[in-house]
Amino acid sequence: MVIEPGQTRCKYYEGLLEQKKEELNAVLRQQGKVLADIDKVKLDRQAEDILKKIEDLESQILNISNIDKSTSNKNNIENQLEKALQKIDFNKAREIAESLKKQYEKEGGAILLFLHKSKKQLGKYCIEEFIDVIISNQIGTCPRRTINFSSTTYQPNKAGFINAISAWLGITITSELEKDENEDEDILLSKIYEKICSSLSLGDTIFFEIKSINRLEDKEEFITWFIEKFWKSLISNKKFLFQQRRNRLIFALIAESQFLINSSNFCQEVTLNHDKMIEIPLHNWTIEDISNWLILHYKLFPCFANIQNCDEIHKEAKNIHEESEGTPESVYTKLKEYFHEQN
């Protein structure tokens, strides 16, 4: 168990408190044995000193406990805020997810998603909402694997991706395989496909997110390789697996900044088991988006506690929109400012 700094101090004071209680008990036992008044006075003073220290320690422990509770409550409320932000917009993403979910009722499938400008447009909340919709009738959570090219753990190229996904799947890359790059890649990809498919149980959803692809060394080359070789090979011979088990495999390519890709790489319709990507659009938020969200979640903000009607909330939403220009990241910053004003 990990002990936080506050907990460490609390444990220390509790230990001292027990020692002082033992000292007090020892003094009280002595009081019952002495006969001389002068000795009784000394013991009374000693007992009073110990009692004062006990009271001080109990007060310290209570203060720490109250601080811990306050911090815990703030963290819980902040977590509620983070979860609620998934609902502020992303209507198009929900529509796409609902469409795919209906198709899952008859058969499983593989989906390749694409999001860009994710940082400014808060794509992380969009992804969370998309996954929530997809697995809403599934018992348990959705296993997810994240490969982030902003990390220094893996190289920002094809080799880095293969190493990262191999590590996630528990596949060891041997030095013998590394001698022949093409043979290494084919053998490793075959192992990766088998590992992914073998981990798909009946009705499962597994999600891989490949983040910060804007940091790749050769973006166009990687995207072409990923779609033409990795993705198409993964799903081409595994369609029976999805149909028989009705499970779901989702990969998401996520760029933090703007990332232009040839339109021929995208699906024209939202379809399962497709060889191409489905783009999840990330729009700016309108006054109406912010207003509708605040009506549902204004109680998370103490500064809105006295708001009496929707017109007042709409006015606040208009102010937030004007100050942020509707950019999700800026709207989020304004909402956090409101949140921390009295929390």
Side-chain angles (χ1 to χ4, degrees):
M1 182 181 70
V2 177
I3 298 178
E4 300 297 329
Q7 291 177 305
T8 303
R9 184 179 292 273
C10 191
K11 294 287 184 186
Y12 173 70
Y13 286 147
E14 286 173 351
L16 288 179
L17 179 61
E18 290 303 314
Q19 290 178 18
K20 292 301 174 185
K21 286 180 178 179
E22 289 176 8
E23 289 177 21
L24 179 61
N25 286 329
V27 170
L28 294 175
R29 284 194 295 270
Q30 285 182 325
Q31 282 180 325
K33 295 177 182 178
V34 298
L35 298 175
D37 289 341
I38 189 167
D39 291 332
K40 286 183 179 180
V41 171
K42 287 181 180 178
L43 289 173
D44 285 344
R45 288 175 180 172
Q46 192 174 349
E48 284 296 330
D49 288 341
I50 296 172
L51 276 170
K52 181 67 172 63
K53 290 177 181 177
I54 287 174
E55 289 170 354
D56 289 343
L57 287 169
E58 287 177 336
S59 178
Q60 291 277 15
I61 292 169
L62 181 61
N63 287 339
I64 292 170
S65 177
N66 288 336
I67 290 170
D68 287 345
K69 286 179 181 177
S70 176
T71 302
S72 177
N73 288 337
K74 285 181 181 179
N75 289 339
N76 288 336
I77 295 171
E78 189 146 1
N79 288 338
Q80 291 177 36
L81 174 65
E82 295 290 313
K83 188 69 176 176
L85 279 164
Q86 294 178 210
K87 311 296 180 182
I88 196 167
D89 187 17
F90 309 125
N91 296 321
K92 187 61 178 176
R94 275 193 288 273
E95 289 176 14
I96 293 171
E98 289 288 358
S99 175
L100 294 170
K101 182 182 171 184
K102 287 180 181 178
Q103 295 178 63
Y104 286 147
E105 293 172 358
K106 298 180 180 178
E107 58 180 309
I111 304 172
L112 178 57
L113 303 175
F114 173 76
L115 296 84
H116 71 138
K117 296 187 290 186
S118 179
K119 186 177 187 301
K120 186 175 73 171
Q121 304 301 118
L122 294 189
K124 63 180 181 179
Y125 295 120
C126 181
I127 282 290
E128 295 298 333
E129 182 65 5
F130 184 95
I131 296 298
D132 277 0
V133 171
I134 287 290
I135 68 169
S136 59
N137 60 352
Q138 177 180 311
I139 297 174
T141 57
C142 169
R144 62 193 302 164
R145 309 285 185 267
T146 300
I147 297 169
N148 195 339
F149 286 117
S150 68
S151 166
T152 57
T153 306
Y154 300 104
Q155 295 177 332
N157 52 32
K158 178 179 69 175
F161 168 77
I162 292 175
N163 287 334
I165 197 168
S166 297
W168 262 119
L169 297 169
I171 297 171
T172 302
I173 301 177
T174 64
S175 56
E176 288 79 8
L177 289 174
E178 291 170 355
K179 293 177 182 177
D180 187 325
E181 183 179 348
N182 292 326
E183 182 184 356
D184 174 31
E185 181 177 309
D186 291 339
I187 293 173
L188 274 176
L189 289 180
S190 179
K191 288 184 177 182
I192 289 167
Y193 301 152
E194 290 304 316
K195 195 78 172 182
I196 290 173
C197 291
S198 65
S199 63
L200 282 165
S201 301
L202 181 65
D204 271 355
T205 300
I206 296 179
F207 174 50
F208 285 85
E209 55 182 347
I210 320 302
K211 300 175 72 173
S212 299
I213 60 171
N214 49 289
R215 299 199 179 202
L216 288 162
E217 291 172 351
D218 194 328
K219 302 176 182 63
E220 292 183 7
E221 181 181 324
F222 178 84
I223 293 298
T224 299
W225 171 86
F226 185 91
I227 296 173
E228 295 300 323
K229 184 161 186 179
F230 180 85
W231 182 251
K232 289 184 178 180
S233 298
L234 172 60
I235 66 173
S236 61
N237 297 317
K238 309 298 179 185
K239 289 183 180 179
F240 74 93
L241 183 66
F242 301 117
Q243 292 167 351
Q244 289 182 357
R245 298 185 184 177
R246 294 186 184 179
N247 42 39
R248 298 162 284 270
L249 175 65
I250 303 172
F251 269 76
L253 296 176
I254 303 170
E256 298 296 309
S257 57
Q258 186 169 9
F259 194 105
L260 301 178
I261 295 180
N262 191 309
S263 60
S264 64
N265 289 310
F266 292 103
C267 300
Q268 299 304 310
E269 297 178 359
V270 178
T271 310
L272 283 176
N273 298 328
H274 207 288
D275 290 342
K276 297 183 179 182
M277 294 184 290
I278 297 172
E279 182 173 6
I280 304 296
L282 297 172
H283 303 295
N284 279 357
W285 295 340
T286 65
I287 297 174
E288 201 66 26
D289 291 330
I290 300 168
S291 180
N292 290 339
W293 183 86
L294 280 175
I295 288 170
L296 293 174
H297 303 289
Y298 76 93
K299 291 181 180 179
L300 290 170
F301 302 86
C303 57
F304 295 153
N306 297 321
I307 283 181
Q308 298 296 317
N309 56 56
C310 292
D311 289 341
E312 291 182 58
I313 289 181
H314 190 75
K315 182 180 178 181
E316 292 293 343
K318 186 177 179 181
N319 291 335
I320 292 170
H321 185 267
E322 286 178 354
E323 292 169 9
S324 65
E325 298 181 340
T327 303
E329 185 179 37
S330 299
V331 174
Y332 172 77
T333 300
K334 295 303 300 181
L335 289 173
K336 291 286 279 189
E337 288 175 7
Y338 280 110
F339 177 78
H340 286 293
E341 274 184 11
Q342 296 181 36
N343 273 309

